[in-house]
Amino acid sequence: MRLCANWLPLSPDLTREVAARCEAAGLWGIGIGDSPNYGELYSACTDALGATSSLVVSTSVTNPVTRHWSVHAGAVRALAAAHPGRFRLGFGRGDSAVRTFGLRPASLADLESFGRSVADAARAAGVDPFLLVAASGPATARVAGRVADGVIAGVGADPVALRTIRGRAQAARGAAAPLEVWASVRIAIGRDGAEVRDLRRRLVPRAVSASHFAFASTFEGKNVPPEYAGVLAERYASYDYGSHGRSGATSNAAMFADRPDIEDYLLDRFAVVGRADACRARLEELSAHVDGVYLSLLFEDALPQIDRIGAMLA
């Protein structure tokens, strides 16, 4: 299994410690998020690369809106040249990182243009970049196939939706050209039943945030149960970007409090929660459908959770 931990840069020292722990735990890589109120993305990537010797570091993910493409291209050139084979640029249209500031996500045309511009600039400087596009729907998956080397599929652990993403991206890329598909889920490993129940409760707002990214624009090709689609669409209209991705008692956490069936569905689709043996089995099952998995950590418990992931892999 190729596993990457997803991390938001809370501080440079903690980013270096998280990266080093991930490498020691046997993870393949680490993804650094680009979200408001956290550390600067490329500085954090530099910290993670400098603290490790083999860990692959990716942006997971940035966007074409909050920086000009030339800024991203410069970072790609510098990091890929300094750490050959260990840096990847993941990007998408923009979600909380743009909406928090009243900006709009990039159009599909702008997303494609961004990818081509960054790649062309890097290659002109003698660097062959590895690009990943975050996609939750068929249209963005086709963009990924045209301009990137892989896709981070934001549809959770649903095999039908993952096959749709892969199929659309590979068709756009061409059958002869290889393409990586990565799943993205939240993870929390508990030591006993009581802790697992607590972790599931704490992950509800994170699962809601993941589902909003996946489903808010369209349900096309995403294998959402019809009996849930109407309720999901109605309640996403009140989604709070100020609480995006946060744990705790947020308005997003209570969005489906009266529908425990929907909470369970979202947790089971967008999170891997349980004891170590159950989590390992779930990830092995998921790995049959993808080339790797991004694991978003409970950031407040990142270090002990990384150690538990390492023990799970051992």
Side-chain angles (χ1 to χ4, degrees), residues 15-34:
T15 294
R16 287 189 285 268
E17 176 67 13
V18 165
R21 290 274 192 105
C22 285
E23 186 169 70
L27 276 79
W28 186 83
I30 184 172
I32 308 291
D34 186 14

Side-chain angles (χ1 to χ4, degrees), residues 49-311:
L49 287 161
T52 56
S53 60
S54 61
L55 199 72
V56 176
V57 177
S58 60
T59 60
S60 62
V61 296
T62 189
N63 67 84
V65 179
T66 53
R67 301 174 185 82
H68 191 266
W69 68 262
S70 62
V71 177
H72 296 280
V76 170
R77 289 196 302 268
L79 294 175
H83 304 277
R86 293 184 57 211
F87 178 73
R88 295 177 163 199
L89 182 73
F91 60 97
R93 296 179 60 199
D95 193 40
S96 64
V98 303
R99 292 189 185 275
T100 298
F101 302 109
L103 302 172
R104 295 178 62 84
S107 67
L108 291 175
D110 287 343
L111 186 71
E112 186 164 346
S113 175
F114 170 85
R116 294 189 189 282
S117 296
V118 170
D120 289 347
R123 290 176 185 131
V127 171
D128 190 19
F130 196 102
L131 305 184
L132 295 156
V133 170
S136 63
T140 314
R142 287 191 286 268
V143 172
R146 289 193 292 269
V147 303
D149 306 284
V151 55
I152 302 173
V155 292
D158 184 85
V160 174
L162 289 168
R163 283 197 296 270
T164 298
I165 293 289
R166 182 186 290 278
R168 301 296 174 87
Q170 192 66 67
R173 186 170 178 81
L179 177 87
E180 292 185 7
V181 176
W182 289 74
S184 178
V185 296
R186 280 70 189 146
I187 190 168
I189 299 174
R191 292 165 294 191
D192 53 41
E195 188 175 18
V196 169
R197 287 190 294 273
D198 178 64
L199 289 169
R200 282 182 67 87
R201 177 188 56 80
R202 291 171 59 194
L203 274 174
V204 167
R206 303 283 304 284
V208 170
S209 292
S211 74
H212 180 268
F213 171 78
F215 301 148
S217 58
T218 177
F219 295 116
E220 180 193 356
K222 298 174 184 178
N223 198 35
V224 177
E227 63 270 25
Y228 294 157
V231 179
L232 292 170
E234 177 186 357
R235 300 196 184 182
Y236 288 149
S238 62
Y239 186 80
D240 177 17
Y241 274 99
S243 299
H244 178 81
R246 297 185 183 276
S247 303
T250 69
S251 57
N252 294 337
M255 186 174 288
F256 301 104
D258 62 330
R259 291 294 303 269
D261 56 331
I262 293 182
E263 285 189 343
D264 285 340
Y265 166 70
L266 296 180
L267 281 166
D268 291 342
R269 177 161 178 165
F270 291 97
V272 173
V273 191
R275 299 185 187 188
D277 54 349
C279 289
R280 183 183 179 96
R282 183 92 189 280
L283 290 172
E284 287 176 342
E285 179 183 350
L286 178 57
S287 293
H289 304 285
V290 293
D291 301 291
V293 185
Y294 279 89
L295 303 172
S296 289
L297 304 168
L298 274 170
F299 301 121
E300 60 270 28
D301 295 338
L303 295 177
Q305 281 292 318
I306 292 168
D307 291 342
R308 292 183 191 183
I309 293 171

